[in-house]
Amino acid sequence: MIGGLFIYNHKGEVLISRVYRDDIGRNAVDAFRVNVIHARQQVRSPVTNIARTSFFHVKRSNIWLAAVTKQNVNAAMVFEFLYKMCDVMTAYFGKISEENIKNNFVLIYELLDEILDFGYPQNSETGALKTFITQQGIKGQTKEEQSQITSQVTGQIGWRREGIKYRRNELFLDVLESVNLLMSPQGQVLSAHVSGRVVMKSYLSGMPECKFGMNDKIVIDKQGKGGASDDAGKSGKQSIAIDDCTFHQCVRLSKFDSERSISFIPPDGEYELMRYRTTKDIILPFRVIPLVREVGRTKLEVKVVIKSNFKPSLLAQKIEVRIPTPLNTSGVQVICMKGKAKYKASENAIVWKIKRMAGMKESQISAEIELLPTNDKKKWARPPISMNFEVPFSPSVSKGPHLEGLGFKFNVGAHKTPL
Amino acid sequence: MTDSKYFTTTKKGEIFELKAELNSDKKEKKKEAVKKVIASMTVGKDVSALFPDVVNCMQTDNLELKKLVYLYLMNYAKSQPDMAIMAVNTFVKDCEDPNPLIRALAVRTMGCIRVDKITEYLCEPLRKCLKDEDPYVRKTAAVCVAKLHDINAQLVEDQGFLDTLKDLISDSNPMVVANAVAALSEIAESHPNSNLLDLNPQTINKLLTALNECTEWGQIFILDCLANYTPRDDRESQSICERVTPRLSHANSAVVLSAVKVLMKFMEMLPKDLDYYGTLLKKLAPPLVTLLSAEPELQYVALRNINLIVQRRPEILKHEMKVFFVKYNDPIYVKLEKLDIMIRLASQANIAQVLAELKEYATEVDVDFVRKAVRAIGRCAIKVEQSAERCVSTLLDLIQTKVNYVVQEAIVVIKDIFRKYPNKYESVIATLCENLDSLDEPEARAAMIWIVGEYAERIDNADELLESFLEGFHDESTQVQLQLLTAIVKLFLKKPTETQELVQQVLSLATQDSDNPDLRDRGYIYWRLLSTDPVAAKEVVLAEKPLISEETDLIEPTLLEELICHIGTLASVYHKPPSAFVEGSRGVQHKRLPGSAGSVESPDPGAAATETPPAVIPSQGDLLGDLLNLDLTPTTTTGPPPPTTSGMQMGAMDLLSGGLDSLVGLLHQGPPSLSASPSTTTASLYFLFFPSTLLVTSVWVAQDVCGHVSAQVWLPAMKAKGLEISGVFVRRAGVIQMEMTLTNKAMSVMTDFAIQFNRNSFGLAPAGPLQILTPLSPNQSIEPLNNLQVAVKNNIDVFYFSCQYPISMLFVEDGKMERQVFLATWKDIPNDNESQFQIKDCHLNSDAASNKLQSSNIFTIAKRTVEGQDMLYQSMKLTNGIWVLAELRVQAGNPNYTISLKCRAPEVSQCVFQNYEAVLKN
């Protein structure tokens, strides 16, 4: 199991060091600094073995988190734990920065004591943790409160505490999708997939039993379920095939497996209920057509055309196109038909923003990029252009027209605590 | 609140100030001071001096302060065990606290304090806490048992905590169950054979129930534990699989991977024709692909595991090639792993896409990635025959880019393509030759030289090309030198007339000017072959080579099986068994996949889970371990077989024994070889080794005793199932010989002999490269330096024995030092290294002694007579270059000699002295 956990700043100074196992010595702290943080090259592996000690490391802005062990631990678990640790810290004090960590080091030690025992991760749901790790001491609690805390921390519903009350019961649901597209230089789509997240904000009283139904148009293509794909064929275009989905730990997985229903008692506040992935029949909401021409060694001409590829009645909002520029850019001149575009030197990109755009429209931007002559033989790797936009929620469309028809039935039931 | 200020105090006298503050009456000030102490501790400052003052702060009702003090205690208790005892009282009291959080905190902290005295006091509170009414306390106590076991395993057993822990598996609270499982699994790992985790269908059922209810981490503990269970039959296996599959939809990747591990393992037991088997296979693919949308570090772990899974069950992901296409912003470690998997999944159906991708990758920026991409193209060619032509043309395009490392990598893979498809793509050789000058890496140079040698008859200027490499022969790496030697010999055999000079040149470079034994050996073999029988040489050197197999980098099947049992863990990330990177007994246990269903001997329930493959001789110290690692593979010879030495590069025995006599002459110009005394029942064989390695003369005797007079019995027949080994060491004609008599006192025929020596002080070895002698470390003195551990193997077993050889065997013939050098060296060696011995009852005069010693290569350099005492100054040199200087004082009429020895390696003095005694008295 995890033998120790260290947090460093970018210089390699230790901010937090907690050792759980006897086989991890102080020299491990230094070994990591010397071999990984001070190593000049980029990280070649997130797991580094130095003198029979394994270091699992992740970096958040300038901060390094490293979990250390000498045993054959569950590597996936260690990384999941490190991410969780980041989430918990963010939930307590915001951004993970050197300043914040130093300011909260007592709290962090307290958290580390609670969520990792002898290197075994324990309950790490912020909802539960916040009930008893408060930085206030716990002397004021009554016996009932105490046992409530412990039963919650160890209970089946570790993510939610009892006795939550809201004057208005509210629930918000966001579907965020990212379309990942790989195109050949000839413009042929090599692979495309959508990874979506259903994010919920729930402000519900008591212990609400929620059910989240997917309408008949969704087919979860767990190839194993023999009949599923046939049904999809019959219902025609309407169906949406989801390759796979994963759920927050509040969802009863065995029930989903047997009845296809998503039932759960939600955590309080914001959380990610589910993720899904789909690769079939992806209709791209936009087409982006870039044209790059090198004029001599010191000039680059870029033209990008975007075409909205959905029903004219729909409206995309807050469109942002990010066009990367070479590192040796000295100046940029942009002309765009619609919206505003700006060269941001610090981000090495031209950022083009359009407030809204209806379906089946087209817009373009052209830019002249002046380059400083360099001796660097490495050519510019031409990073991909990225694009962000929103389609406001409507009953039939969540975000991105390819999800048209994806609907959600929602049903908050059972016991609402009387106010 | 700005606690960051605590990190900045670095004044002198800080400790004093802190001391004062810690003893302050004001609570706030106390707390501030403790915070400062913890901050100092974090950055690595030693604040152990404050121990009593910090511990004094422990008695507080402020929980935050208490936790800080505990943190301090855990860090420093070990260095201040006497003081730590002060804390015991508070701990014991806290374990009785009405607040469960405080009870748990106390028991959790106490377990982290590794001080015996505290541990004693821990037992009672722990026993209570294990049965506490509050689940939070119980789950903490469960982990505490594992902590205590780590400190004092015996105590845990004596106190019966293990049984209590087992009871907790049936606890009503899922988190308690999970922690108990985790603790038991860890304890069981250090007791591989104790049936501690007694997994039976009832407990499994309890675990599966808890699986649905506990935290994500608890699910991981339970799944990892389940993976160690071996179901009784395929029905049970299927029902467990059915209950585990819903976990594949969990958001936590570790839960998913652990579930995959359980399924991959239990699938082995399902009959392949079962519908469920197919269903399960299909269910595995989507979650594995989904893992690739996780954060990059997790993607890396997932990819390393997918690499194993596609090797074991390629059918699972065969349609998912596209998801492994590299993305622009993938970190380099993800890119490299994806590339590996792409090759494994490449097939005729998708090869076009794969090649197009690989060609793109070959123009990327990262050098390692580009290299791997180029190599991957070559691997595609070898794997999918239909694509070979396109791969070759792609590689040629890449060579045209003239990017140095791309060219080199391309040449290395083209060599492999030639080996797979001979006489097909040789038209490209001309293009390759154009780039000869730009090659600077040994592997690429060696590959190019191989190509030139292999196709010498089609390259007009092959001799010129190869000759150009000869100039810097000694600067080349061994790989290139060996390849160049072979290539030129090939060339000579193909075009003997023009290249005679060239071949002589390379042979003399290899045999006379090189220190590398491999190179020298190969040089001599070629030389011998060419001079005795050129036709045979042609048959040997230009023999048709077997085609290389499709996949060269597959993980060896038994290792793969073991790694499949470790899916999700570090072992699966490193692709190494846990024993390769975990110290001590933990995790050394080898895991195996259960046998497939329908096999006649289905594994014994329960037993198979803990079964370990039999090691030949487990845990008998390192030295034996070394012996065991040696490869003693049996040869398939029948009849009276020649004992073979493993590690001998020149495999064929006939080759050696036939040409032996003349070869000896060639090497040493001394008396050719010793005469063996082969009786009719004796098959004999001589191994020849170079100076400073050992000549083993072994005589194989069938049912008959034929020993040398002075031979010692090294291995009595009783100990070796009828094989008796006796022998003697001699030095003849500058060659160290170990004459062994192997006597078969058993009733059956013994065959398949092999011999191997353990590592020893002077690097004696029956074959193989000269060992570079490391300085004799003083720790070795427990055993005599001249001890030699030998393993002899036959069809019955492997036997180990050790014998001592006289050190005089190691004295070389050129051990006579120049007078001046002797004087200088004598002075130069520190006096500490001098040792004096007495030789009693020796009645030789100084001249006779000198003569006698000379015969064992101890040379007298000078003689001086002072006051009737003869002083002989002598020197000898060991095979490894250690000089021993001696001063021998002989007083006429006194039978007692005095000898002083000086040597840079004083460890050998004792042996040398014994040798003097033996020689002079004999």
Side-chain angles (χ1 to χ4, degrees), chain B residues 397-417:
Chain B
D397 287 351
L398 290 172
I399 288 176
Q400 298 305 342
T401 62
K402 302 276 175 200
V403 178
N404 192 287
Y405 52 85
V406 174
V407 174
Q408 310 213 37
E409 210 59 47
I411 286 182
V412 173
V413 290
I414 287 182
K415 179 204 73 181
D416 287 340
I417 296 177

Side-chain angles (χ1 to χ4, degrees), chain A residues 1 14-18 21-22 26 42-49 52 54 56-60 69-77 79-81 83-84 99 102-106 109-110 113-114 117-118 120-125 132-133 135 137-139 141 143 146-147 149-151 153-156 180 182 185 190-191 193 221-225 243-249 253-254 256-257 275 277 378-379 381-384, chain B residues 1-4 6-7 35 38-39 41-44 63-64 67-68 71 74 78 98-101 105 108 114 133-136 139-140 143 146-147 150 173-175 179 182 186 212-217 220-221 224 246-254 257-258 279 282-283 286-287 289-290 293 295 297-298 300-301 322 325-328 332-333 357 360 363 365-366 368 566 568-571 573-574 578-583 586:
Chain A
M1 282 306 115
V14 196
L15 304 178
I16 297 288
S17 115
R18 175 75 159 93
R21 299 258 171 163
D22 207 35
R26 184 82 202 174
Q42 80 193 107
V43 175
R44 303 302 280 194
S45 161
V47 187
T48 313
N49 193 315
R52 284 186 158 243
S54 300
F56 298 78
H57 41 96
V58 299
K59 212 178 165 193
R60 287 287 179 272
T69 183
K70 285 205 164 185
Q71 298 173 25
N72 183 29
V73 295
N74 188 320
M77 184 187 80
F79 281 122
E80 283 284 3
F81 176 78
Y83 302 142
K84 194 73 185 190
E99 186 67 21
K102 280 184 171 175
N103 277 334
N104 293 287
F105 79 98
V106 174
Y109 276 126
E110 205 175 327
D113 197 43
E114 186 58 45
D117 190 6
F118 201 43
Y120 289 104
Q122 304 293 307
N123 192 341
S124 48
E125 287 301 316
F132 68 108
I133 295 187
Q135 290 281 283
I138 49 168
K139 51 184 170 177
Q141 290 157 339
K143 197 150 194 279
Q146 287 163 6
S147 70
I149 289 170
T150 58
S151 80
V153 174
T154 56
Q156 295 177 22
N180 238 303
L182 199 66
L190 292 176
S191 81
H193 74 262
D221 187 20
K222 284 240 182 189
Q223 290 143 318
K225 298 278 164 197
D243 287 20
D244 187 34
C245 47
T246 59
F247 296 100
H248 185 269
Q249 63 165 327
L253 295 178
S254 35
F256 174 73
D257 200 55
R275 278 181 185 226
R277 189 167 54 78
K378 270 189 196 165
K379 57 187 170 172
R382 296 200 178 183
Chain B
M1 186 175 72
T2 51
D3 280 354
S4 58
Y6 302 122
F7 281 86
K35 282 188 184 178
I38 299 293
M41 193 175 87
T42 299
V43 295
L63 197 62
E64 191 190 3
K67 283 181 178 172
L68 287 174
L71 188 63
M74 287 186 262
K78 222 172 148 191
N99 185 339
L101 292 172
L105 178 65
R108 183 165 69 213
R114 305 176 68 92
E133 50 169 20
D134 194 294
Y136 183 76
K139 70 117 186 164
T140 312
V143 175
K147 292 179 188 169
D150 194 39
N173 183 295
M175 198 155 169
N179 276 3
E186 178 166 341
N212 286 327
E213 293 165 350
C214 63
T215 63
E216 44 192 333
W217 315 116
I220 300 170
F221 305 153
D224 283 352
R247 298 296 120 198
L248 293 175
S249 303
H250 202 287
N252 187 315
S253 308
L257 267 179
S258 290
T279 317
K282 282 180 188 160
K283 274 191 178 175
V289 174
T290 301
S293 347
E295 285 85 346
E297 291 87 3
L298 267 176
Y300 174 74
V301 174
K322 279 184 179 175
F325 284 176
V326 169
K327 287 186 203 155
Y328 174 80
I332 183 67
Y333 48 83
E357 279 292 300
E360 284 293 313
T363 61
V365 192
D366 189 283
D368 282 352
H566 287 292
T569 69
L570 253 187
V573 174
Y574 291 149
S579 51
F581 59 91
V582 176
E583 275 164 11
R586 267 197 192 135

Side-chain angles (χ1 to χ4, degrees), chain B residues 591-742:
Chain B
K591 294 189 179 175
R592 281 159 61 185
L593 290 174
S596 67
S599 65
V600 190
E601 60 278 272
S602 65
D604 204 7
T610 50
E611 196 183 339
T612 50
V616 191
I617 301 177
S619 64
Q620 281 195 9
D622 283 336
L623 281 169
L624 265 179
D626 283 343
L627 271 176
L628 290 168
N629 289 338
L630 298 170
D631 178 22
L632 289 170
T633 16
T635 52
T636 48
T637 353
T638 48
T644 52
T645 47
S646 62
M648 278 226 341
Q649 301 225 324
M650 0 171 175
M653 283 299 151
D654 310 330
L655 189 80
L656 255 185
S657 53
L660 188 73
D661 292 354
S662 40
L663 200 52
V664 172
L666 175 88
L667 289 173
H668 301 292
Q669 285 123 32
S673 108
L674 41 117
S675 56
S677 50
S679 67
T680 41
T681 50
T682 306
S684 66
L685 198 119
Y686 301 90
F687 298 157
L688 182 95
F689 307 97
F690 298 104
S692 160
T693 51
L694 181 62
L695 175 69
V696 180
T697 312
S698 57
V699 184
W700 187 84
V701 185
Q703 313 277 349
D704 183 23
V705 188
C706 145
H708 292 261
V709 194
S710 58
Q712 278 180 298
V713 174
W714 286 332
L715 181 70
M718 275 163 61
K719 284 194 178 171
K721 301 180 184 166
L723 177 71
E724 186 184 88
I725 299 177
S726 60
V728 66
F729 288 94
V730 285
R731 184 182 181 89
R732 283 188 200 134
V735 180
I736 303 166
Q737 298 172 357
M738 176 185 183
E739 294 190 359
M740 288 203 320
T741 307
L742 282 71

